[in-house]
Amino acid sequence: MTTNIRNIAIIAHVDHGKTTLVDAMLRQSGIFRENQEVVDRVMDSNDLERERGITILAKNTALSYRGTKINIVDTPGHSDFGGEVERALRMVDGVLVLVDASEGPLPQTRYVLQKALAAKLPPIMVLNKIDRPDARPAEVLDEIYDLFIDLDATEDQLDFPVIYTNAKLGVAHAKLDDGSTTLQPLFEQIVASIPPPAGDPEGVLQIQVTNLDYSDFLGRLAIARVFQGTLKRGTEVGIAKLDGKIQPTKITKLFTFRGLERDEAEEVSAGDIVAIAGVEGIQIGESITDLANPAPLEPLLIDEPTLTMVFTINTSPFAGREGQFVTSRDLRARLERELLTNVSLRVEDTGTTDAFRVLGRGELQLAILIETMRREGYELMVGKPEIVVRNENGRKLEPLELLVIDCPESFIGIVMESLGSRRGEMKKMVNHHSGRVRMEFSIPSRGLIGLRSQLLTDTRGTALIHSLLEGWTEYAGDMAMRLTGALVADRAGVSVAYAIWGIQERGEMFVGPSVEVYEGMIVGENAREDDMNVNITKEKKQTNMRSSSADEAIRLIPPRDMTLEKAIEFIADDEYVEVTPKSIRLRKKVLDAKRRPKRWQEIRASAEASKTS
Ligand SMILES: Nc1nc2c(ncn2[C@@H]2O[C@H](COP(=O)(O)OP(=O)(O)OP(=O)(O)O)[C@@H](O)[C@H]2O)c(=O)[nH]1
Ligand SMILES: [Mg+2]
């Protein structure tokens, strides 16, 4: 047993303040130099994390509190990145469960807590954001007890300590009014109630890789927890591969964590978390063990993906203009590389070599992957996200979500209507009498596709929407798809203001003037249900007469900015999003207008189906 180490993961629903709390913990542990400038939420270190203000990847850090080393894993709170949380839990001996003192427990709180309880990890409950004017810590604590009971927590597990924090200020209280001005009560609680790691430093070597990282200087790094024994630099060890083979390798460099740094180490013993450089081909879930006397650990098992999207090479007329990596070989290699670190992702072959089926946990997870790829110089096309359907004993099953929507009272009607058409079933409605209500629905995952943008429009941006995979249910039958058609360019050319002016009354444009288009490219959303081919390149007839008021009368409505996520939510089965480093375009799968099948019959059938059921 190593008494001077504690390993914890910080878990919570999205935005409840995990990364902010880690900032404060690092600052107060004196990790940073006196004059060192440190950005806010320093652990959110990759570009997309900073741009979006969310954590995407779980990350390790460590600090020292009065002689005890505390290894911390900061995890993402968005449900699409739940796989990161699952593997983080494998590394630790206890968890800080953060809950926003005003919002209370939300679906991802339930998910992460359920995983932590199942892994028998003792929790410390941290009620954060107690400074919010609408904080209601006592009520929220009651809701947390209810949640534990609902999750069948044991007596022991119910007996959790509670700490109140303002992570932004870096203050923790054991009791709300104890006058504390630092995080000391939190540090004390961690040392007191999180058990030190078990495992004998003299025992047979047992290490499990839970993450991979990359450093410009060292190449690939395996992040791993030492469960037993001591790993020494320069020794010959065995990697227990997932297929059961033992592959010998020599450990050349070892590191432990300290703040944002990694310290080189000669040896690392049971209980600590280590970064190992230069281990070729090692994968997440594999063990490192004694070569002569191997004792591999159980491989890591995590929840299966629920959403799939086809990624294919760019076949549009503009293919290869803006990107560096465009072939199916490039695409395959990139996806294979992603699988090494992104444990909750799967890639399957399709009938053709140019397309791959990518399976993940949600639209955001896949959108982040696509966004990362385009920034690296890839071009690709993606199809409409689909839900993974399972066949069990001849029954067709689909994933079911628990959906929580928090919105002002005045929008209850419109929200219920939207959910009804997506086969959502209301389970519960709570009114906190703050002008907002919280509604819980049970809804097939399919019904969530495109839901977020619709609800935000319906509620003028005020709804909070959270969902959680609840299980699998009998396939619910057809569901309404997009009820509008597309405005489709009928020829190649450059868009012209005059033409747009004529088309814009048909629906909403996605492109403005002077944009190069091709036949089959979607330039807007039709207000009606069928697709409409339009000539967006049409110039005004030149006349000798000076035009009087006509030219000035051309008032263009600004086009809708189709971001990657909006585009993915928008497209129908017969459409693709074309993604390049510079552009996001929408297109019909069949570009040639004469050969393109009609869409409206299909749509009518689906609309009818959803009405009658
Ligand atoms: N008022 C107040 N705001 C806080 C507090 N802690 C965090 N915040 C704010 O809450 C927002 C989210 O904080 P993050 O630390 O990014 O939350 P997170 O839990 O790491 O989010 P994800 O990793 O994306 O799940 C930021 O705007 C923080 O400034 C707090 O104690 N009080
Ligand atoms: Mg975070």
Side-chain angles (χ1 to χ4, degrees):
M1 187 132 120
T2 321
T3 53
N4 59 350
I5 293 184
R6 298 292 182 279
N7 297 315
I8 55 167
I10 307 195
I11 58 178
H13 187 79
V14 66
D15 264 357
H16 282 191
K18 298 172 288 295
T19 309
T20 306
L21 185 65
V22 177
D23 265 9
M25 292 171 82
L26 288 174
R27 283 211 171 84
Q28 289 185 28
S29 71
I31 280 286
F32 303 126
R33 275 176 282 112
E34 198 64 28
N35 57 353
Q36 189 172 345
E37 293 223 7
V38 185
V39 293
D40 276 350
R41 289 182 285 107
V42 63
M43 297 293 284
D44 285 346
S45 51
N46 82 38
D47 289 350
L48 283 175
E49 291 182 322
R50 300 217 69 83
E51 277 170 32
R52 291 169 183 250
I54 54 167
T55 304
I56 296 171
L57 303 167
K59 289 180 220 70
N60 283 78
T61 184
L63 54 83
S64 162
Y65 175 75
R66 301 197 168 161
T68 301
K69 176 177 186 178
I70 305 178
N71 282 307
I72 303 172
V73 196
D74 181 28
T75 67
H78 193 286
S79 58
D80 281 22
F81 311 118
E84 296 285 312
V85 182
E86 289 187 81
R87 72 173 177 209
L89 294 181
R90 188 79 177 111
M91 246 187 284
V92 300
D93 306 298
V95 288
L96 302 189
V97 185
L98 244 72
V99 180
D100 184 317
S102 133
E103 291 189 355
L106 281 167
Q108 196 65 3
T109 317
R110 184 186 180 95
Y111 176 81
V112 295
L113 184 61
Q114 188 181 350
K115 293 283 170 193
L117 293 179
K120 305 216 166 19
L121 294 171
I124 295 175
M125 197 53 57
V126 180
L127 291 193
N128 188 35
K129 305 200 189 183
I130 49 170
D131 58 302
R132 277 180 68 156
D134 53 354
R136 43 184 191 100
E139 254 173 85
V140 166
L141 192 55
D142 279 343
E143 291 170 21
I144 294 169
Y145 279 111
D146 290 345
L147 178 61
F148 269 76
I149 291 167
D150 208 33
L151 291 174
D152 292 327
T154 59
E155 286 289 314
D156 283 10
Q157 288 175 323
L158 266 174
D159 198 17
F160 52 81
V162 182
I163 299 282
Y164 300 88
T165 56
N166 174 342
K168 241 170 148 173
L169 271 189
V171 179
H173 305 273
K175 294 218 167 55
L176 264 174
D177 51 2
D178 65 7
S180 160
T181 55
T182 67
L183 287 179
Q184 193 179 343
L186 176 64
F187 287 128
E188 292 292 340
Q189 190 66 56
I190 292 172
V191 175
S193 68
I194 303 296
D200 179 4
E202 309 298 328
V204 177
L205 189 63
Q206 282 187 315
I207 295 178
Q208 188 158 47
V209 179
T210 51
N211 206 351
L212 291 178
D213 197 1
Y214 186 85
S215 136
D216 286 339
F217 305 109
L218 302 160
R220 190 195 285 185
L221 288 166
I223 316 269
R225 158 92 190 245
V226 187
F227 283 93
Q228 195 171 261
T230 298
L231 181 65
K232 295 195 176 74
R233 194 168 74 90
T235 50
E236 190 83 21
V237 294
I239 303 177
K241 305 298 291 178
L242 295 176
D243 63 10
K245 292 205 185 76
I246 304 284
Q247 175 189 316
T249 190
K250 193 167 161 177
I251 302 294
T252 50
K253 264 186 194 309
L254 289 181
F255 301 86
T256 52
F257 290 86
R258 181 172 53 90
L260 310 176
E261 319 278 324
R262 283 164 196 170
D263 295 331
E264 211 167 332
E266 277 304 308
E267 58 173 57
V268 183
S269 294
D272 211 348
I273 293 174
V274 60
I276 308 166
V279 197
E280 268 314 304
I282 198 159
Q283 285 185 39
I284 291 176
E286 292 177 345
S287 311
I288 297 174
T289 183
D290 197 288
L291 191 55
N293 179 19
L297 295 158
E298 286 287 303
L300 210 68
L301 278 185
I302 70 167
D303 290 350
E304 287 295 314
T306 52
L307 190 91
T308 160
M309 237 162 117
V310 169
F311 284 33
T312 174
I313 56 165
N314 189 1
T315 57
S316 95
F318 298 167
R321 283 197 193 175
E322 296 169 346
Q324 202 182 339
F325 306 110
V326 297
T327 64
S328 64
R329 193 140 50 92
D330 291 332
L331 197 56
R332 174 184 290 275
R334 179 61 186 80
L335 291 174
E336 277 169 4
R337 189 146 47 91
E338 187 67 21
L339 288 180
L340 294 176
T341 53
N342 210 334
V343 285
S344 59
L345 217 64
R346 305 261 180 287
V347 176
E348 291 172 357
D349 284 329
T350 59
T352 94
T353 51
D354 289 343
F356 306 89
R357 196 187 314 282
V358 181
L359 295 91
R361 296 245 180 130
E363 283 170 90
L364 181 63
Q365 188 193 17
L366 296 180
I368 294 280
L369 170 61
I370 297 163
E371 182 64 40
T372 308
M373 289 173 66
R374 75 187 275 244
R375 288 178 188 212
E376 291 168 357
Y378 286 82
E379 281 194 14
L380 68 155
M381 298 194 302
V382 299
K384 179 183 161 66
E386 277 172 29
I387 293 304
V388 176
V389 175
R390 265 189 205 169
N391 270 307
E392 245 167 52
N393 308 327
R395 286 162 66 217
K396 190 168 168 190
L397 302 181
E398 68 173 327
L400 187 74
E401 313 262 338
L402 165 71
L403 173 71
V404 177
I405 297 174
D406 197 306
C407 73
E409 281 165 323
S410 53
F411 295 117
I412 295 177
I414 191 157
V415 168
M416 306 243 300
E417 198 176 309
S418 284
L419 268 296
S421 69
R422 292 163 174 272
R423 295 179 185 270
E425 218 176 281
M426 185 148 85
K427 295 285 172 193
K428 198 161 134 190
M429 173 144 71
V430 187
N431 197 331
H432 291 305
H433 301 291
S434 55
R436 294 180 73 93
V437 289
R438 182 169 293 185
M439 292 177 268
E440 287 189 22
F441 296 86
S442 181
I443 180 174
S445 304
R446 274 186 300 155
L448 296 185
I449 293 177
L451 176 70
R452 182 170 301 269
S453 57
Q454 186 187 338
L455 284 183
L456 287 177
T457 314
D458 289 350
T459 63
R460 304 211 192 93
T462 56
L464 297 169
I465 304 148
H466 310 281
S467 62
L468 168 69
L469 180 66
E470 224 179 13
W472 294 74
T473 180
E474 198 94 23
Y475 190 76
D478 280 344
M479 198 174 286
M481 43 180 161
R482 194 180 81 212
L483 291 174
T484 57
L487 298 169
V488 185
D490 69 355
R491 71 199 69 193
V494 174
S495 64
V496 172
Y498 173 74
I500 294 175
W501 179 68
I503 301 167
Q504 65 184 12
E505 64 198 45
R506 305 287 185 170
E508 199 181 343
M509 304 303 297
F510 301 159
V511 301
S514 311
V515 175
E516 229 188 320
V517 300
Y518 50 81
E519 178 179 0
M521 179 166 149
I522 299 172
V523 296
E525 176 171 7
N526 194 359
R528 297 166 39 142
E529 64 189 11
D530 45 355
D531 289 344
M532 185 160 82
N533 294 317
V534 294
N535 179 2
I536 197 174
T537 68
K538 186 159 81 186
E539 303 272 359
K540 183 164 184 273
K541 282 227 176 61
Q542 293 297 323
T543 57
N544 291 331
M545 304 265 285
R546 273 190 68 92
S547 60
S548 50
S549 59
D551 275 354
E552 288 93 83
I554 291 192
R555 285 259 151 75
L556 295 188
I557 302 164
R560 188 192 311 169
D561 182 24
M562 287 305 254
T563 58
L564 177 61
E565 275 135 289
K566 283 192 198 154
I568 291 172
E569 290 210 331
F570 178 80
I571 53 169
D573 288 338
D574 62 340
E575 295 162 355
Y576 280 131
V577 183
E578 174 190 354
V579 185
T580 78
K582 297 207 181 97
S583 320
I584 290 168
R585 303 187 188 95
L586 292 87
R587 56 165 278 187
K588 299 307 287 187
K589 281 186 178 166
V590 179
L591 295 180
D592 183 346
K594 289 188 288 301
R595 296 171 49 196
R596 195 180 310 140
K598 290 259 179 293
R599 207 175 88 86
W600 61 268
Q601 290 139 324
E602 225 179 299
I603 294 179
R604 264 210 194 127
S606 117
E608 284 305 316
S610 78
K611 251 182 249 152
T612 51
S613 52

